[in-house]
C-alpha cells in the first residue's frame, strides 16, 4: 500500500509540474516527457521553438517514473513524446503499448535502420559506446581485446563495473545473448563477476574514479562519460579522467556494443504532428552537431561527425545488430544476472 501511495504521489507531483508549464490550447505546443537532463537538449528545444513557433513543454523525471506516469494517465495523458536513454527502456515502454507507429521519410533518411524500431515506434537520437576505460600506467592496451576476454585469469581482481540493476549492463549482456546464446552469456556474466575488483556499485563515473584511485585497472563504462568528466568544473574529476585510456572492445569480430538515447511518439499524443516535427528536427544535421559537441555523444545521422575529442579516440567498428534486440533480450539478461549472483 505504501508503495502504491508513493507512486500516486509521484504522479501527482509530476502532473502539477506539467500543468504549471502547459500553455493554452490555442497555442502550438509539443509536450515532452524526458529522462535526459542535458543542457544540449534544452538548447535544441529552444531552437525548435524559435524556428517553428511550437512551444516545447518539458517534464523531467527518471525513465521508470515517466513510463509509470504515462500508464496512469492513459488516454488523458498530455504527453506527445517520451525521450529516454537505452534501447532496453524504449522497449519497456513499447511493450506497455505507450508508443504509436510513425512513418516519416525524413527520419528514415536521417536515422539508419539499426537505430530505429522496425515498426516506427521509436527512433534513436544519439548513440554511445560501452568501452573499456583502463589505467594508462597499469594496463598495456595491447592486453585488452574483447568483453569476453575480461573473464580470463589475468584480469582477476582488476575489473570494475556497476550493478546488474543498471540498464546499460543489462543491454550489454543482452548483446552477448544475441551474439552467443544464453548459456555462453551466462558463463561470461559468472566469469566477469569472479574477476571483479569489488562488488559492483556506483555510476559509470564512479568506475573511472575507482580506476584512477587504484581500486581496479579496467572499467566497463559508456564513452560519453569520459568526455563529460574531462570537461568537468571539478579539477579532481578531470584528473581522474585523464588517467584512463579508451579501448573499443571486439574490433576483430562483431564490434563494440553501442546503445542509444531515443524518442517515441506517445500512443495518445494530442499534438502528434508537432511531436514528429520535433523528432525530425532533432535528427537534422545542425541538431545532431549540437548533441555531438556539447554532450560527447555520437550522432546517429551519418552525415554528422563526432566531436573533436571523440575523433581523437579514433574510429571504431560498432556492433551492427538492430538495437530492438537489446530490449527483446532484456528479461533474459536480468534472469542471468540473478542466477549468477551479480548484484
Amino acid at each position: 500500500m505504501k508503495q502504491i501511495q508513493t507512486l500516486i504521489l509521484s504522479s501527482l507531483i509530476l502532473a502539477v509540474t506539467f500543468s504549471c508549464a502547459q500553455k493554452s490550447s490555442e497555442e502550438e505546443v509539443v509536450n515532452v516527457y524526458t529522462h535526459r537532463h542535458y543542457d544540449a537538449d534544452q538548447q535544441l528545444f529552444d531552437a525548435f521553438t524559435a524556428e517553428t513557433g511550437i512551444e516545447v513543454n518539458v517534464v523531467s523525471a527518471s525513465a521508470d517514473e515517466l513510463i509509470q506516469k504515462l500508464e496512469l494517465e492513459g488516454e488523458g495523458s498530455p504527453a506527445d513524446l517520451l525521450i529516454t536513454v537505452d534501447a532496453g527502456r524504449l522497449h519497456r515502454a513499447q511493450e506497455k503499448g505507450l508508443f504509436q507507429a510513425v512513418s516519416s521519410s525524413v527520419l528514415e533518411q536521417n536515422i539508419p535502420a539499426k537505430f530505429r524500431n522496425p515498426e516506427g515506434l521509436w527512433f534513436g537520437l544519439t548513440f554511445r559506446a560501452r568501452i573499456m576505460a583502463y589505467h594508462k600506467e597499469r594496463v598495456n592496451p595491447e592486453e585488452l581485446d574483447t568483453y569476453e576476454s575480461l573473464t580470463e585469469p589475468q584480469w582477476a581482481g582488476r575489473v570494475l563495473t556497476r550493478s546488474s540493476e543498471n540498464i546499460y549492463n543489462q543491454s550489454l549482456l543482452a548483446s552477448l545473448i544475441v551474439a552467443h546464446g544464453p548459456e555462453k552469456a551466462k558463463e561470461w556474466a559468472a566469469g566477469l563477476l569472479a574477476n571483479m575488483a569489488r562488488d559492483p556499485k556506483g555510476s559509470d563515473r564512479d568506475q573511472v574514479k575507482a580506476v584512477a584511485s587504484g581500486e581496479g585497472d579496467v572499467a566497463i563504462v559508456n564513452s560519453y562519460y569520459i568526455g563529460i568528466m574531462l570537461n568537468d568544473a571539478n579539477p579532481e574529476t578531470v584528473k581522474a579522467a585523464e588517467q584512463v585510456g579508451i579501448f573499443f572492445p571486439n574490433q576483430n569480430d562483431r564490434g563494440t556494443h553501442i546503445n542509444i538515447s531515443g524518442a517515441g511518439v506517445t500512443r495518445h499524443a494530442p499534438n502528434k504532428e508537432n511531436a514528429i516535427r520535433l523528432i525530425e528536427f532533432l535528427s537534422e544535421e545542425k541538431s545532431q552537431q549540437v548533441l555531438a559537441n556539447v554532450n560527447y555523444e555520437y550522432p546517429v545521422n551519418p552525415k554528422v561527425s563526432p566531436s573533436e575529442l571523440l575523433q581523437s579516440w579514433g574510429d571504431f567498428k560498432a556492433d551492427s545488430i538492430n538495437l530492438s534486440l537489446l530490449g527483446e533480450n532484456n528479461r533474459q539478461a536480468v534472469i542471468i544476472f540473478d542466477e549468477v549472483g551479480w548484484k
Side-chain angles (χ1 to χ4, degrees):
M1 179 63 73
K2 182 178 180 181
Q3 184 181 13
I4 294 174
Q5 291 174 336
T6 301
L7 294 175
I8 293 174
L9 178 60
S10 175
S11 180
L12 289 173
I13 291 172
L14 284 171
V16 171
T17 302
F18 184 85
S19 65
C20 291
Q22 193 174 23
K23 303 298 180 181
S24 69
S25 59
E26 287 78 20
E27 294 181 275
E28 284 287 301
V29 299
V30 57
N31 303 320
V32 177
Y33 285 7
T34 180
H35 176 203
R36 286 171 58 91
H37 48 82
Y38 308 119
D39 293 340
D41 292 41
Q42 189 57 55
Q43 291 178 28
L44 291 173
F45 294 156
D46 292 342
F48 176 75
T49 298
E51 181 175 304
T52 65
I54 299 171
E55 191 73 21
V56 181
N57 298 323
V58 176
V59 170
S60 297
S62 73
D64 289 340
E65 287 176 322
L66 293 172
I67 288 172
Q68 187 168 63
K69 179 171 170 60
L70 283 168
E71 286 186 282
L72 289 170
E73 290 171 339
E75 295 182 9
S77 177
D80 299 304
L81 201 61
L82 174 66
I83 300 177
T84 188
V85 296
D86 198 279
R89 290 194 178 107
L90 289 165
H91 185 77
R92 190 177 301 164
Q94 173 189 332
E95 280 193 317
K96 293 177 179 294
L98 299 180
F99 292 140
Q100 60 175 294
V102 166
S103 178
S104 164
S105 59
V106 173
L107 294 177
E108 291 177 4
Q109 177 179 336
N110 290 345
I111 304 173
K114 72 175 182 179
F115 294 126
R116 44 187 165 87
N117 174 265
E119 284 78 44
L121 293 170
W122 50 259
F123 300 85
L125 299 175
T126 63
F127 73 93
R128 56 283 295 270
R130 197 117 179 100
I131 57 146
M132 296 178 188
Y134 64 91
H135 197 278
K136 292 178 179 178
E137 295 182 0
R138 298 194 300 271
V139 175
N140 182 341
E142 293 182 1
E143 299 176 78
L144 298 167
D145 187 9
T146 64
Y147 300 108
E148 292 87 339
S149 69
L150 289 180
T151 64
E152 296 172 358
Q154 72 186 87
W155 299 108
R158 303 175 68 188
V159 180
L160 293 157
T161 191
R162 54 202 293 178
S163 80
S164 65
E165 294 181 354
N166 175 251
I167 193 72
Y168 303 147
N169 278 344
Q170 291 172 11
S171 288
L172 173 58
L173 184 54
S175 75
L176 288 163
I177 294 171
V178 174
H180 303 302
E183 289 304 316
K184 290 290 185 182
K186 184 176 179 179
E187 290 177 15
W188 176 82
L192 194 74
L193 180 63
N195 279 353
M196 287 188 189
R198 65 177 185 189
D199 287 341
K201 63 179 181 179
S203 66
D204 277 13
R205 301 183 202 197
D206 291 327
Q207 312 312 315
V208 175
K209 293 175 182 177
V211 169
S213 68
E215 289 187 68
D217 292 337
V218 59
I220 300 174
V221 299
N222 278 354
S223 53
Y224 78 104
Y225 284 113
I226 306 297
I228 291 173
M229 292 179 72
L230 286 170
N231 291 273
D232 197 274
N234 186 333
E236 291 301 313
T237 300
V238 175
K239 183 179 178 181
E242 289 176 340
Q243 293 181 61
V244 302
I246 307 300
F247 184 83
F248 295 98
N250 296 78
Q251 291 303 283
N252 295 319
D253 49 45
R254 67 183 180 279
T256 298
H257 169 65
I258 60 172
N259 214 312
I260 57 170
S261 64
V265 177
T266 59
R267 183 177 180 182
H268 304 292
N271 304 287
K272 176 182 176 180
E273 296 306 316
N274 291 349
I276 295 173
R277 287 184 69 181
L278 179 54
I279 304 177
E280 291 175 342
F281 177 84
L282 294 173
S283 74
E284 293 174 358
E285 291 181 47
K286 57 187 177 182
S287 299
Q288 289 280 295
Q289 201 66 68
V290 171
L291 292 169
N293 291 339
V294 177
N295 208 46
Y296 309 102
E297 296 177 278
Y298 289 94
V300 295
N301 190 321
K303 295 180 181 179
V304 179
S305 299
S307 68
E308 289 186 8
L309 175 62
L310 271 62
Q311 290 184 52
S312 74
W313 297 343
D315 294 331
F316 72 98
K317 177 183 177 182
D319 194 342
S320 61
I321 64 170
N322 188 289
L323 298 184
S324 293
L325 294 173
L326 303 181
E328 292 173 14
N329 286 279
N330 176 269
R331 186 173 291 107
Q332 181 69 60
V334 172
I335 291 171
I336 288 173
F337 277 136
D338 288 343
E339 289 176 344
V340 303
W342 185 326
K343 297 179 181 178

